[in-house]
Amino acid sequence: MHDLMAAFGLLLAIEGICFAAFPSAVKKAAADMAAAPVDMMRLVGITAAAVGVGLVWLMRNHVW
């Protein structure tokens, strides 16, 4: 649970920085996402989730 809260905090920090530093670009990206086809959004979401799970697994199981 500790790692989940840390990840959520990092997500909020990164999003907050993006909103503060590039508000126009964030608005354009949100409008582009709203106009995107549902199937493309689903594919991007599944891909991002798979990459995220893979990255967490890699970091947890391999010490560099």
Side-chain angles (χ1 to χ4, degrees), residues 15-38:
E15 282 192 6
I17 290 168
C18 289
F19 277 100
F22 311 107
S24 297
V26 172
K27 284 181 79 171
K28 183 179 180 329
D32 290 345
M33 277 194 291
V38 172

Side-chain angles (χ1 to χ4, degrees), residues 55-64:
L55 186 60
V56 169
W57 178 84
L58 187 68
M59 294 287 100
R60 290 299 218 154
N61 294 311
H62 293 82
V63 178
W64 297 2

